[in-house]
Amino acid sequence: MADTQNLLLLFEHPTEPVFMDKGKKVTVFDVPDSYLTDRYRPISNEVQSRVGEKVEQRVPVREISIPDLRIPMSLGREEQFSLFIPKHRRIAGRLIDIFVNMRSVDDLQSVAVYARDRVNPVMFNYALSVALLHRPDTQGLDLPSFAQSFPDRFVDSQVFRELREESFVVQPGSRMPIVIPRDYTASDLEPEHRLWYFREDLGVNLHHWHWHLVYPFEASDRSIVAKDRRGELFYYMHEQVMARYNMERFSNNLARTQPFNNLREPIAEGYFPKMDSLVSSRAWPPRFDNTRLGDLNREQDQINLEVSDLERWRDRIYEAIHQGFVMDERGQRVELDETRGIDILGNILESSILSPNRTLYGDLHNFGHVFISYSHDTNNKHLESFGVIGDSSTAMRDPAFYRWHAYIDRIFQEHKTRLPAYTDTQLNYSGISITGVQVASNGGQPNVLTTFWQQSDMDLSRGFDFTPRGNVFARFTHLTHTPFTYTINVNNDGGAQRFGYVRIFMAPKNDERGQPMLLREQRLMMVELDKFVVSLNPGPNTIRRRSTESSVTIPFERTFRNLDANRPAAGTPEELEFNFCGCGWPNHMLIAKGLPEGLRCDLFVMVSNYENDRIDQQLVGRCSDAASYCGVRDRLYPDRQSMGYPFDRLPRAGADRLVNFLTPNMSIVDVSIRHENRVVTRQA
């Protein structure tokens, strides 16, 4: 039987022929002649023997009859691939089905080897990744970071010339990291550019790509898409991205993002990505300031839509929210109630195959991305592909992403504001009171968090095609913070041990004008920092929790390091869960940048009744680590409450400010986030 680990080699050097050597241990696939493309079949002995001179390991590939790949091959190898384009989703869905339905790992390896040189490289990576995540016999595999396979999506194109020179001239042991410029996409004349470190962060963009891997839109096997509370998770993950982004805007003396709510108005913010696509051998197209959306007629992508289609879908969704129900395809009412309503709306808005009525409610979120991404060439007159907002691995680089998602979140909030406010009974935990909260970094001032710049290296050699082998490091500059610890004092007045669910959020105290925020506004900027279970003995309890243990984030190694770092032992349940950890907010971006003089924030802590919140299931391993934004693989979302509770609804009457909202099992403390403009190189 084939070694499943060899499947991971197919992610390396994505545009090279499949028979070229791969891996740190020089490995080649023994490809049957009939599997070679027309270019190499006549000279197979010559090319395969040339490659095989320094081989340490050979992987036999069994010749089997290949399923019909005409649909997956209908997307050209040099075209850009986008999950937001329905035609591309259908093509990728077909390839996922083929990979998932192969009877054995041997057969999967054979068809993957055959397909790799014939289908679009980015689509191949996506489809094989989804298949490996969902096949029972490959779930334990640790997928390589997308940034290592396609570094062109994360790196200034000018840097590639230096990286090539370094790899060609210098032997592997002596190579130096090439430093990527800190802010290369615009100058300070563009106010939006102050947020380059967030929008262009490697970990933030990888989080978005990996989330869509774990939660694909489309597949004929419905179970791959129909995960627990998937629609609600789509809402909550993006709502949290917006809360974080707005907090970063306050950290740069900018106002909150203006929702893109008039689709006929020009988009004020331009964006020039300064990146080349190695797959299409083209530069990612820019969008100029004040570009307007236009009706789309892109025959090649089977898109013929008008801006009025988006407006019609939006109006129907608003009407459904105001009526309190949607209509499914059979004409039956589906209630938008307190528990399922947000999940149904998430599936409609995104939209995925779980939408109860795609014909009526359309594909608003995805086509918003598509319309913005093609605004520079709406009818393909200039043969230009989509901009960065049209690809889930690059979309978060574009300021327009946040304007569009501010609008999508406004639609979700229209539903949330119609729900009844949480009552005292729903919020309180009788007999439990928080008597004190403090947060401090090692040796630091209490209730002051510190951020600064850090430089970290990442090996990009897996994605460096047609160049000498060996490590090629790029050095990224990113925001980070000094690790800190929460200390929470809780009193249990009951006579017995009880369990609590600790929920930690943070939001700015004041708005753009420096005025204290009303809770109805502040709740939309509440950033979830952590959520965990504690046992509370009778009497006083002191809870300590490190910031690195956050239920929102994945550890630093998952973003920048070699995948073999901190790997659990082979064959253990922990290893099976490990790959899911690729989904999660990067730990270095847990805290907003803050201001040199300090950004004043409210840190909110709540202990809710775990008996009401618990989901009875076995959570093995470490991949409930980032459950807040990503859920837990093959499990239910580990919290019975609505995502974002207790801030997902308007506050009850009389609770205009956060301090009036508090019940005894809640507490707030003033925290200041100070930014130090210094750069530290991370020690390996």
Side-chain angles (χ1 to χ4, degrees):
M1 181 179 153
D3 182 352
T4 53
Q5 289 294 328
N6 292 330
L7 292 168
L8 301 180
L9 296 173
L10 295 172
F11 291 111
E12 296 194 11
H13 305 291
T15 62
E16 289 185 358
V18 69
F19 54 76
M20 298 289 283
D21 61 293
K22 296 168 180 53
K24 297 283 183 252
K25 181 181 181 182
V26 185
T27 303
V28 296
F29 287 93
D30 280 335
V31 182
D33 285 357
S34 64
Y35 280 23
L36 296 175
T37 57
D38 294 344
R39 171 70 187 91
Y40 296 115
R41 199 177 299 126
I43 51 172
S44 68
N45 286 341
E46 183 186 333
V47 290
Q48 295 212 55
S49 60
R50 206 181 109 223
V51 168
E53 286 168 4
K54 298 177 183 172
V55 172
E56 296 174 49
Q57 179 184 338
R58 290 186 173 278
V59 178
V61 177
R62 214 168 63 198
E63 198 166 351
I64 63 168
S65 82
I66 298 294
D68 185 352
L69 288 173
R70 277 176 302 184
I71 293 174
M73 285 164 61
S74 64
L75 182 69
R77 277 181 61 75
E78 289 78 36
E79 286 181 52
Q80 292 280 52
F81 166 71
S82 170
L83 285 171
F84 298 121
I85 296 174
K87 175 190 168 187
H88 293 194
R89 285 206 298 275
R90 286 193 298 273
I91 293 171
R94 179 75 191 107
L95 190 56
I96 291 167
D97 292 340
I98 289 169
F99 287 158
V100 167
N101 292 324
M102 298 314 290
R103 285 175 311 180
S104 65
V105 172
D106 286 291
D107 288 358
L108 173 61
Q109 178 177 282
S110 294
V111 79
V113 165
Y114 182 88
R116 188 179 179 278
D117 289 349
R118 288 173 171 81
V119 304
N120 183 279
V122 181
M123 182 181 74
F124 176 85
N125 181 298
Y126 171 74
L128 186 59
S129 298
V130 172
L132 296 182
L133 279 172
H134 293 90
R135 279 179 68 105
D137 53 3
T138 56
Q139 276 186 347
L141 287 177
D142 196 355
L143 300 187
S145 163
F146 188 70
Q148 292 181 319
S149 298
F150 294 98
D152 53 307
R153 278 143 196 271
F154 304 90
V155 176
D156 174 7
S157 54
Q158 284 189 335
V159 172
F160 274 88
R161 192 201 59 75
E162 296 176 61
L163 288 165
R164 281 206 172 84
E165 180 182 333
E166 190 75 14
S167 67
F168 190 77
V169 175
V170 183
Q171 289 300 308
S174 308
R175 290 176 189 166
M176 299 290 287
I178 303 300
V179 177
I180 295 167
R182 256 173 69 164
D183 49 356
Y184 56 85
T185 50
S187 72
D188 291 339
L189 292 172
E190 170 54 76
E192 294 295 325
H193 184 60
R194 296 177 206 169
L195 291 145
W196 67 270
Y197 64 90
F198 183 93
R199 288 188 284 101
E200 293 164 7
D201 182 75
L202 190 84
V204 165
N205 282 279
L206 280 173
H207 160 74
H208 194 239
W209 165 262
H210 207 108
W211 192 93
H212 284 289
L213 272 188
V214 176
Y215 293 98
F217 311 82
E218 210 136 333
S220 64
D221 179 355
R222 198 174 166 85
S223 68
I224 290 176
V225 181
K227 299 196 171 87
D228 183 53
R229 294 168 73 178
R230 180 203 195 287
E232 185 180 6
L233 203 50
F234 170 79
Y235 142 73
Y236 186 58
M237 189 274 281
H238 288 93
E239 187 269 341
Q240 282 288 291
V241 165
M242 288 312 305
R244 288 176 173 279
Y245 187 66
N246 282 325
M247 203 155 163
E248 297 293 354
R249 294 181 74 83
F250 281 19
S251 300
N252 289 279
N253 298 306
L254 293 170
R256 277 168 280 190
T257 308
Q258 284 301 309
F260 185 43
N261 53 5
N262 183 346
L263 303 180
R264 306 284 174 171
E265 275 187 0
I267 302 170
E269 303 86 353
Y271 186 63
F272 291 71
K274 315 280 193 301
M275 296 194 305
D276 292 341
S277 164
L278 295 183
V279 169
S280 66
S281 301
R282 291 267 191 282
W284 286 90
R287 185 186 61 258
F288 288 81
D289 291 356
N290 298 310
T291 299
R292 289 180 186 272
L293 299 192
D295 298 342
L296 290 186
N297 185 7
R298 309 269 313 188
E299 208 171 302
Q300 187 181 10
D301 295 323
Q302 297 173 7
I303 297 173
N304 192 342
L305 280 175
E306 299 172 0
V307 176
S308 58
D309 288 308
L310 294 181
E311 292 168 331
R312 221 174 354 262
W313 295 339
R314 172 202 64 195
D315 293 345
R316 288 171 183 167
I317 292 167
Y318 267 117
E319 183 183 9
I321 291 169
H322 295 150
Q323 289 177 328
F325 62 86
V326 297
M327 300 295 286
D328 69 15
E329 285 169 340
R330 298 190 306 278
Q332 304 292 312
R333 287 186 178 192
V334 181
E335 299 296 323
L336 296 177
D337 59 20
E338 287 184 44
T339 48
R340 287 288 324 285
I342 190 70
D343 193 47
I344 294 162
L345 267 181
N347 290 327
I348 284 174
L349 261 170
E350 187 179 14
S351 73
S352 73
I353 58 168
L354 305 180
S355 170
N357 196 337
R358 254 183 175 172
T359 311
L360 185 61
Y361 300 111
D363 196 358
L364 183 61
H365 158 261
N366 295 331
F367 266 113
H369 277 262
V370 172
F371 269 83
I372 297 169
S373 72
Y374 277 137
S375 56
H376 58 280
D377 189 12
T378 55
N379 57 10
N380 209 19
K381 181 166 72 175
H382 301 290
L383 303 179
E384 281 289 309
S385 188
F386 49 80
V388 289
I389 197 172
D391 184 299
S392 60
S393 66
T394 54
M396 291 183 73
R397 305 175 80 85
D398 189 337
F401 173 93
Y402 303 92
R403 293 204 55 200
W404 179 240
H405 272 280
Y407 181 48
I408 293 292
D409 192 56
R410 179 171 282 190
I411 300 174
F412 282 126
Q413 294 304 331
E414 189 74 16
H415 164 72
K416 284 288 189 179
T417 54
R418 295 174 63 80
L419 301 177
Y422 291 116
T423 62
D424 262 8
T425 315
Q426 288 172 298
L427 296 172
N428 209 344
Y429 187 1
S430 176
I432 301 295
S433 55
I434 298 180
T435 54
V437 173
Q438 184 182 293
V439 58
S441 47
N442 291 344
Q445 215 176 320
N447 301 326
V448 174
L449 303 176
T450 308
T451 68
F452 54 94
W453 304 112
Q454 187 174 57
Q455 289 189 324
S456 301
D457 298 344
M458 187 170 189
D459 180 13
L460 303 180
S461 59
R462 284 187 173 100
F464 243 57
D465 295 354
F466 306 107
T467 52
R469 299 303 195 234
N471 293 349
V472 187
F473 284 100
R475 181 161 287 174
F476 295 85
T477 303
H478 57 89
L479 184 70
T480 193
H481 55 272
T482 307
F484 55 91
T485 302
Y486 307 97
T487 304
I488 305 161
N489 297 314
V490 182
N491 213 41
N492 175 5
D493 294 336
Q497 186 188 48
R498 299 163 86 182
F499 289 92
Y501 219 160
V502 179
R503 302 165 187 273
I504 305 178
F505 290 83
M506 183 161 62
K509 285 182 84 70
N510 301 324
D511 65 15
E512 298 91 330
R513 297 163 303 160
Q515 300 300 310
M517 273 199 194
L518 290 171
L519 183 53
R520 61 182 301 129
E521 293 290 313
Q522 191 183 26
R523 72 181 187 89
L524 298 173
M525 294 192 70
M526 279 289 176
V527 166
E528 184 176 333
L529 296 181
D530 206 349
K531 184 165 60 177
F532 56 95
V533 182
V534 289
S535 65
L536 300 167
N537 294 317
N541 295 260
T542 300
I543 301 160
R544 287 189 179 82
R545 173 88 166 177
R546 296 192 305 275
S547 59
T548 50
E549 298 174 279
S550 168
S551 66
V552 171
T553 62
I554 53 172
F556 188 87
E557 285 76 13
R558 303 297 307 164
T559 303
F560 288 98
R561 282 290 190 75
N562 191 318
L563 292 164
D564 298 326
N566 291 346
R567 214 188 147 68
T572 59
E574 286 79 10
E575 189 199 35
L576 189 65
E577 297 288 326
F578 193 58
N579 180 60
F580 198 77
C581 290
C583 184
W585 193 254
N587 188 265
H588 64 269
M589 296 295 285
L590 177 66
I591 300 297
K593 175 169 152 279
L595 291 162
E597 67 274 19
L599 177 68
R600 294 183 62 213
C601 296
D602 284 320
L603 183 80
F604 168 91
V605 179
M606 173 185 191
V607 181
S608 61
N609 186 344
Y610 185 57
E611 292 308 314
N612 298 340
D613 306 341
R614 70 185 303 157
I615 299 288
D616 290 317
Q617 59 184 350
Q618 183 64 43
L619 293 181
V620 188
R622 355 178 180 182
C623 272
S624 47
D625 276 13
S628 289
Y629 295 176
C630 292
V632 185
R633 189 177 70 192
D634 299 337
R635 296 287 187 276
L636 302 177
Y637 190 80
D639 183 2
R640 199 177 295 280
Q641 298 287 358
S642 297
M643 296 178 199
Y645 167 86
F647 297 114
D648 64 304
R649 301 187 191 178
L650 288 176
R652 64 193 182 278
D656 291 348
R657 310 249 175 216
L658 183 56
V659 68
N660 310 126
F661 178 74
L662 302 183
T663 50
N665 58 322
M666 303 176 188
S667 185
I668 51 174
V669 63
D670 282 8
V671 169
S672 180
I673 307 175
R674 286 189 194 154
H675 179 67
E676 297 175 358
N677 192 18
R678 57 189 172 94
V679 182
V680 175
T681 304
R682 182 179 169 87
Q683 302 306 311

